[in-house]
Amino acid sequence: DTGVSQDPRHKITKRGQNVTFRCDPISEHNRLYWYRQTLGQGPEFLTYFQNEAQLEKSRLLSDRFSAERPKGSFSTLEIQRTEQGDSAMYLCASSFGRLDEQFFGPGTRLTVL
Amino acid sequence: AQTVTQSQPEMSVQEAETVTLSCTYDTSENNYYLFWYKQPPSRQMILVIRQEAYKQQNATENRFSVNFQKAAKSFSLKISDSQLGDTAMYFCAFWGDFGNEKLTFGTGTRLTIIP
């Protein structure tokens, strides 16, 4: 297993455009998490899935953000009508169970011009 | 809601020396877990060590150990015999009980090991 992968690694977009990121977790990991990390800060929780069910969403996740995990495998995070404040590193992590170690992906760095 | 505070934005230490990174947290929960994560430059975040709040014994993983003071809500990380590969951002993180199942991270400490 090659670990958690994320695509793309970098995304530059213009304000107002929509972007979509993909996360492929470690196979057989039931839980998948999305975090956002801005410069000089620790990651902030956005949302998480248990299999295909989205169980919790942070208040940080405005209605412009949507995440899916069809069939409980990969996940996508879409940001509509991007704003400059959305510029950040978006991290994905997966774990087998609730208290198991979370393995992080390399992140997708989003720059909104 | 819980908060995690790391008051040392940057630290540096000579190779082979020992360094301690500080972390304090605030929570009203009794059952929780604490973690130290390492984020090397341009590399993925990895788990260094974890501590269950119900365990009195401090966790140890090779050169890494913690000093967990539950009453003081303090959770420091000690790195012994520091190596160049220990250069990284270190994040302290909190995981709550049922209904609060997400990692809350501190702002991090940038650690540089000097050859």
Side-chain angles (χ1 to χ4, degrees), chain A residues 7 12 15 18 26 31 35 37 45 52 58 61 66 75-76 79-80 87 90 94 101 103-105 111 113:
Chain A
D7 184 70
I12 300 174
R15 188 174 52 189
N18 298 343
I26 294 172
R31 290 207 167 194
Y35 297 88
Q37 186 177 19
F45 168 80
E52 66 274 12
S58 164
L61 216 62
S66 62
S75 176
T76 58
I79 309 174
Q80 297 182 326
S87 295
Y90 289 83
S94 72
E101 178 181 348
F103 291 85
F104 283 79
T111 302
L113 302 176

Side-chain angles (χ1 to χ4, degrees), chain B residues 74-93:
Chain B
S74 171
F75 183 63
S76 61
L77 174 70
K78 185 171 83 171
I79 306 174
S80 303
D81 186 26
S82 56
Q83 301 174 0
L84 297 179
D86 295 333
T87 293
M89 283 290 290
Y90 286 81
F91 293 98
C92 178

Side-chain angles (χ1 to χ4, degrees), chain A residues 31 37 56 98-99 104, chain B residues 39 44 50 95 101-102:
Chain A
R31 290 207 167 194
Q37 186 177 19
E56 187 171 347
R98 174 177 168 263
L99 293 176
F104 283 79
Chain B
Q39 190 174 39
Q44 290 159 242
R50 90 182 229 170
W95 172 278
E101 300 180 16
K102 53 184 173 287

Side-chain angles (χ1 to χ4, degrees), chain A residues 4 31 33 35 37 40-43 45 48 56 91 98-102 104-106, chain B residues 33 37 39 42 44-45 47 50 91 95-103 105-107:
Chain A
V4 178
R31 290 207 167 194
Y33 302 83
Y35 297 88
Q37 186 177 19
Q41 299 296 316
F45 168 80
Y48 86 93
E56 187 171 347
L91 298 171
R98 174 177 168 263
L99 293 176
D100 293 313
E101 178 181 348
Q102 290 188 27
F104 283 79
Chain B
Y33 302 79
Y37 278 87
Q39 190 174 39
S42 302
Q44 290 159 242
M45 181 130 30
L47 178 65
R50 90 182 229 170
F91 293 98
W95 172 278
D97 207 347
F98 284 101
N100 187 19
E101 300 180 16
K102 53 184 173 287
L103 284 172
F105 288 86
T107 52

